[in-house]
Amino acid sequence: MKDIYLKALKKIGVLSILSISACAPQRDLVYFSDMTKKGAGNDIIINSIEPRIQSSDLLNITVNSPSAESNVLFAANYNTPAGNGDYELVGYRVNKNGNINFPVLGNVKLEGFTIEQAQQELTRELKNYVKNPIVNIQFLNFKVTVIGEVNNPSTFTVTNDKITLLEALGMAGDMTAYGKRENVLIIRENNAKRTMVRVNLNKKDVLSSPYFYLKQNDVVYVEPDKAKSMEISRNNRLMPLIVASISAAAVIATTFLRR
């Protein structure tokens, strides 16, 4: 008799475990899974774009020339105390009209320019005041945000002014197993417009997408698949029943074992 109840108890335990870990539908977790496995690709990159200066961008601008006096005039203090013992970078902010306020020159419109074009524009303007000026410009707040089903969601500052979608996901620790690789959302704001586009990282075509190379302030959202929400919902719903069943089985088994 005891053996019968012990076997019943084991069955209840097995069924409880199976109900918790029920198999979810199989999903494709491989990036570019539609690529052929034979040979290597040799595609020409046509979607690489230079980031363009936008309003609210913060720019580090340095001017060097043979004149020491001019260098002092255009020098700026980019290490400003932040009040907590640290230092923060302070540069030239592009205002809502697309201009920066530069020493001697006053308002200079740089919005819409690439870094190289902006350097050429400032060099042209400064030649009226400085002999042989050399202008260097760098973004100080080029950043992208990766959230959702990744291992390290965060906002990341990009130092080389260019980053791909794969690099951003790599900085975020890659997607979790629940991340929908076939439906990644990219949110982009430019010229007072917000664009939302979904890309499929299971497909090789994403490499040619204009959204494969990210722009400053892009947000990448990795959506969780239904398996995660179903698992959470199922566990929350079944756990009290499972615990109650196991407790009842334990009481019954103990009662019969004492006889």
Side-chain angles (χ1 to χ4, degrees), residues 158-220:
V158 181
T159 57
N160 61 357
D161 304 340
K162 183 177 289 187
I163 184 172
T164 68
L165 177 56
L166 294 181
E167 289 172 328
L169 290 172
M171 294 172 69
D174 203 1
M175 298 187 201
T176 70
Y178 293 108
K180 296 180 69 173
R181 286 151 178 80
E182 70 278 11
N183 198 26
V184 177
L185 178 66
I186 299 175
I187 304 172
R188 176 171 296 171
E189 294 185 3
N190 192 13
N191 296 327
K193 294 182 179 179
R194 181 179 294 110
T195 304
M196 304 176 71
V197 173
R198 296 183 183 272
V199 298
N200 185 351
L201 286 175
N202 290 143
K203 302 294 184 181
K204 176 178 176 289
D205 292 346
V206 72
L207 297 173
S208 302
S209 168
Y211 289 86
F212 181 69
Y213 285 90
L214 300 178
K215 294 185 177 182
Q216 62 265 48
N217 305 316
D218 277 359
V219 177
V220 179

Side-chain angles (χ1 to χ4, degrees), residues 45-86:
I45 298 175
I46 59 175
N47 59 331
S48 177
I49 55 176
E50 292 293 327
R52 294 185 177 271
I53 296 172
Q54 304 174 11
S55 62
S56 297
D57 279 343
L58 192 63
L59 305 177
N60 177 10
I61 303 177
T62 59
V63 179
N64 292 290
S65 73
S67 170
E69 292 80 4
S70 297
N71 292 340
V72 172
L73 174 63
F74 294 105
N77 180 16
Y78 291 99
N79 292 313
T80 300
N84 56 358
D86 295 330

Side-chain angles (χ1 to χ4, degrees), residues 18-235:
L18 290 176
S19 63
I20 296 176
S21 58
C23 295
Q26 187 174 2
R27 294 183 55 251
D28 187 355
L29 301 180
V30 180
Y31 294 110
F32 318 125
S33 56
D34 63 337
M35 288 181 62
T36 176
K37 294 183 179 180
K38 297 180 180 179
N42 192 25
D43 298 334
I44 298 175
I45 298 175
I46 59 175
N47 59 331
S48 177
I49 55 176
E50 292 293 327
R52 294 185 177 271
I53 296 172
Q54 304 174 11
S55 62
S56 297
D57 279 343
L58 192 63
L59 305 177
N60 177 10
I61 303 177
T62 59
V63 179
N64 292 290
S65 73
S67 170
E69 292 80 4
S70 297
N71 292 340
V72 172
L73 174 63
F74 294 105
N77 180 16
Y78 291 99
N79 292 313
T80 300
N84 56 358
D86 295 330
Y87 286 84
E88 62 181 4
L89 293 174
V90 178
Y92 294 95
R93 177 75 64 179
V94 181
N95 63 27
K96 63 181 180 180
N97 296 319
N99 301 324
I100 63 168
N101 189 5
F102 201 71
V104 178
L105 300 180
N107 284 328
V108 180
K109 189 172 183 63
L110 295 182
E111 184 180 23
F113 289 7
T114 65
I115 290 296
E116 183 176 356
Q117 291 171 341
Q119 289 174 165
Q120 293 173 352
E121 176 66 14
L122 274 181
T123 299
R124 185 182 64 81
E125 295 279 354
L126 286 171
K127 282 183 178 180
N128 297 320
Y129 305 93
V130 182
K131 184 178 180 181
N132 299 326
I134 298 175
V135 179
N136 288 295
I137 301 178
Q138 182 184 22
F139 287 108
L140 288 177
N141 64 339
F142 192 112
K143 63 183 185 298
V144 295
T145 301
V146 186
I147 56 176
E149 280 300 317
V150 292
N151 289 297
N152 181 30
S154 186
T155 297
F156 304 97
T157 300
V158 181
T159 57
N160 61 357
D161 304 340
K162 183 177 289 187
I163 184 172
T164 68
L165 177 56
L166 294 181
E167 289 172 328
L169 290 172
M171 294 172 69
D174 203 1
M175 298 187 201
T176 70
Y178 293 108
K180 296 180 69 173
R181 286 151 178 80
E182 70 278 11
N183 198 26
V184 177
L185 178 66
I186 299 175
I187 304 172
R188 176 171 296 171
E189 294 185 3
N190 192 13
N191 296 327
K193 294 182 179 179
R194 181 179 294 110
T195 304
M196 304 176 71
V197 173
R198 296 183 183 272
V199 298
N200 185 351
L201 286 175
N202 290 143
K203 302 294 184 181
K204 176 178 176 289
D205 292 346
V206 72
L207 297 173
S208 302
S209 168
Y211 289 86
F212 181 69
Y213 285 90
L214 300 178
K215 294 185 177 182
Q216 62 265 48
N217 305 316
D218 277 359
V219 177
V220 179
Y221 171 60
V222 180
E223 183 181 349
D225 64 6
K226 292 182 179 180
K228 182 171 185 178
S229 59
M230 289 176 61
E231 178 178 326
I232 294 174
S233 176
R234 182 173 59 249
N235 290 347

